[in-house]
Amino acid sequence: MVVKIRLARFGRRNSPFYNIVVAHARTARNSKPIEVIGTYDPIPKADPYGNPKELHKDINLDVDRARYWVGVGAQPTDTAWRILSMASVLPKKMVGLQREKPLKPIDANSVKIH
Amino acid sequence: MAPRICGTSTTLASLDASLQTCSRLAAHTTRSFSLTCRNEKITKNRYEMVKWIKERATNSFDKSHPTYLGPHADQPFPSNPLFRSQSVLSESMKNRIYTQVMDHGVAMKAVSEEMQVDVRRVAAVVRLKELEHQWKLEGKKFATPYAKAVMKMLPQSRWAQGDMNIPHEPINDIPVHKLSMQQLFVPVSESRHFTREDAAKAFHEGLLSADKRSPQRELIEIERQAAEKDGDRAKSIEEFRKEAQEAEEAYANELARKSELEDANIKKQQKGRFEFRIKRYNSENVGKYGRARNVTGWRYGQALQERKRGMVKIPTSVP
């Protein structure tokens, strides 16, 4: 069975909290995983005595275990990939819909029309 | 003579009879209009009130300090002599405490000694001022007129550099310990010198003596040294300030070192609107059964206690 690195949603209504887990792909989201390798708190917070407008999100990650699981072929989901790439466990990957770059205006002199 | 009812010439007995026979009529008679003439002379209480307003109150409403009605200067409620209003720190004092501690980096103990305010109060002022700054940054509205009005109603402690200021609070106050609230009869031989240590021991084995329980031991020590034969107050104060400064700096350095160590473990990355802080940790430190209390992450197979009845959620520490 495929082993995945994915997020398991805990917390309460409107206050999510995720465990970063290594689990078999076909098991339920919040079932007991093979291993918990970290957490991700998606709610932005300000430092207690810092600027209240500068917000941060906390990620706890066991980088060594993450490297190990990636090394033995665990497949991160897109979200997990983004988190792991921030911890430089994996290279960056463009995830989701990519915005198309607008075409440059055509220079009439450089175009040959037969 | 039978008691008279205002406005009628009936006796009480006949009134009682009429009450039983016809209640409507009786109600009419008892509710009759009072014909007693108004007292031309004012009562003594009213006379005194008017006198007081004329003498004392006319010019005192817009003063910055309060004028209480009570017979004493600090008694706000005239008929409650046990309630005495205690002075609070004035705004200028609070500002000075904050600037001394935060801008000039003076040790809190030294500020407490200089301004004769309890060191715990100094710490509280600094914390609250810090909170005020935080609120300003957040753009919260302040109820300044309300605060001013309240301050006007309270007596305030004032402090000026170089003056003989009245201390805001005495340095030899100690919190009353529960163990020392009992009444004890301890037989002691006459020749024995019964000290505070002995008194504490008599209450309980573990109870510290009054000297050791005082939160301002160093200040008391200064006074003790000054009272000695060749004591020099200025010198001992200077020594105390120096020691306080050194101790506080050592503590600050230790805190800085700890936070630096913690920061080294955290990788920060600005992404869009938010900064992501990735903290490294060892996921294998999960205790014997994988359920240690301080482990990162939501735990499996263990009910959360936070919704349980009677769980106290008031934080016991500040960040």
Side-chain angles (χ1 to χ4, degrees):
Chain A
M1 217 188 328
V2 179
V3 171
K4 290 221 156 210
I5 301 178
R6 65 187 186 191
L7 301 187
R9 190 194 192 276
F10 290 92
R12 307 237 169 266
R13 186 204 286 180
N14 296 336
S15 65
F17 186 89
Y18 297 99
N19 273 3
I20 303 168
V21 299
V22 178
H24 289 299
R26 298 244 180 142
T27 51
R29 186 191 70 183
N30 283 8
S31 61
K32 199 172 182 192
I34 301 171
E35 193 177 335
V36 181
I37 58 167
T39 58
Y40 169 47
D41 186 354
I43 292 174
K45 283 185 209 105
D47 278 326
Y49 296 104
N51 186 351
K53 280 173 189 164
E54 278 174 14
L55 302 170
H56 71 268
K57 295 185 181 186
D58 283 325
I59 296 169
N60 280 1
L61 188 69
D62 188 340
V63 177
D64 299 331
R65 291 305 291 167
R67 285 224 171 87
Y68 164 77
W69 281 110
V70 169
V72 296
Q75 296 175 10
T77 58
D78 287 349
T79 323
W81 191 296
R82 206 164 56 220
I83 288 169
L84 293 182
S85 71
M86 272 193 279
S88 44
V89 174
L90 287 168
K92 283 204 169 55
K93 188 169 88 169
M94 298 303 271
V95 173
L97 280 173
Q98 304 305 317
R99 197 176 289 168
E100 278 182 23
K101 280 184 183 172
L103 292 171
K104 282 178 189 172
I106 296 164
D107 184 15
N109 299 329
S110 64
V111 181
K112 265 187 184 177
I113 299 167
H114 295 285
Chain B
M1 203 182 93
R4 233 166 58 84
I5 302 291
C6 283
T8 53
S9 57
T10 46
T11 57
L12 258 192
S14 63
L15 195 72
D16 203 47
S18 66
L19 249 178
Q20 279 169 356
T21 50
C22 175
S23 62
R24 262 180 80 190
L25 185 74
H28 179 74
T29 21
T30 46
R31 232 189 286 138
S32 61
F33 193 75
S34 168
L35 295 176
T36 323
C37 61
R38 197 169 65 90
N39 198 352
E40 289 300 323
K41 291 172 186 168
I42 59 170
T43 57
K44 195 189 169 197
N45 283 343
R46 191 173 169 76
Y47 167 75
E48 274 174 0
M49 184 191 80
V50 171
K51 194 178 151 207
W52 181 85
I53 286 174
K54 276 184 183 164
E55 275 176 6
R56 287 176 64 197
T58 37
N59 296 324
S60 61
F61 282 127
D62 40 45
K63 272 184 195 163
S64 58
H65 63 84
T67 318
Y68 292 138
L69 299 177
H72 299 287
D74 57 347
Q75 187 184 329
F77 304 109
S79 47
N80 185 359
L82 297 176
F83 187 100
R84 292 299 171 84
S85 175
Q86 299 206 335
S87 57
V88 296
L89 291 180
S90 64
E91 205 57 42
S92 61
M93 257 180 114
K94 282 190 240 168
N95 285 335
R96 187 181 142 86
I97 287 174
Y98 184 74
T99 47
Q100 284 292 96
V101 172
M102 296 304 285
D103 300 347
H104 304 292
V106 182
M108 279 203 267
K109 275 184 180 177
V111 175
S112 147
E113 182 275 322
E114 190 193 3
M115 302 186 73
Q116 289 159 315
V117 179
D118 193 322
V119 70
R120 290 166 296 177
R121 198 179 298 280
V122 169
V125 165
V126 171
R127 185 173 289 286
L128 286 173
K129 278 272 164 196
E130 193 68 16
L131 197 69
E132 195 184 313
H133 279 256
Q134 190 75 9
W135 281 12
K136 260 181 205 160
L137 279 176
E138 282 173 29
K140 278 192 181 173
K141 269 193 174 180
F142 288 87
T144 321
Y146 174 72
K148 271 187 185 166
V150 169
M151 287 302 270
K152 245 185 174 181
M153 284 189 262
L154 296 167
Q156 295 176 28
S157 296
R158 303 194 184 271
W159 185 88
Q161 202 155 21
D163 280 10
M164 284 291 287
N165 297 297
I166 304 162
H168 181 69
E169 48 212 326
I171 54 170
N172 52 1
D173 271 4
I174 51 167
V176 177
H177 197 278
K178 204 174 156 192
L179 287 171
S180 65
M181 296 276 282
Q182 54 186 322
Q183 201 175 22
L184 273 187
F185 294 98
V186 187
V188 177
S189 71
E190 231 174 273
S191 58
R192 193 175 146 200
H193 190 58
F194 198 75
T195 59
R196 287 180 168 182
E197 272 76 18
D198 297 327
K201 272 259 169 65
F203 280 124
H204 192 265
E205 271 305 302
L207 186 67
L208 292 174
S209 73
D211 291 326
K212 283 175 187 159
R213 272 190 295 129
S214 166
Q216 317 261 17
R217 285 188 296 277
E218 288 106 329
L219 299 186
I220 292 172
E221 191 53 40
I222 288 175
E223 296 301 322
R224 200 165 278 163
Q225 283 172 7
E228 274 170 17
K229 206 177 179 187
D230 47 348
D232 185 2
R233 178 192 286 271
K235 197 181 158 196
S236 46
I237 283 176
E238 200 180 310
E239 228 164 66
F240 161 75
R241 282 184 189 171
K242 203 178 152 199
E243 271 171 27
Q245 194 69 26
E246 276 167 11
E248 191 147 304
E249 267 166 27
Y251 182 63
N253 286 340
E254 179 63 20
L255 280 188
R257 197 183 61 83
K258 268 186 189 166
S259 77
E260 223 168 71
L261 266 181
E262 222 163 72
D263 271 9
N265 222 7
I266 295 174
K267 194 179 166 191
K268 292 174 181 177
Q269 217 168 19
Q270 190 69 39
K271 279 213 158 186
R273 286 183 294 162
F274 308 115
E275 186 184 64
F276 283 85
R277 293 189 183 165
I278 301 158
K279 191 176 172 188
R280 290 182 73 143
Y281 87 107
N282 186 0
S283 69
E284 281 166 21
N285 292 342
V286 286
K288 200 175 172 187
Y289 303 104
R291 289 175 171 192
R293 282 191 149 263
N294 51 355
V295 170
T296 301
W298 219 267
R299 284 171 297 160
Y300 294 87
Q302 203 165 18
L304 271 176
Q305 303 285 312
E306 62 165 25
R307 291 282 178 103
K308 204 170 153 184
R309 255 177 68 172
M311 295 297 279
V312 181
K313 289 186 193 167
I314 303 164
T316 50
S317 63
V318 282

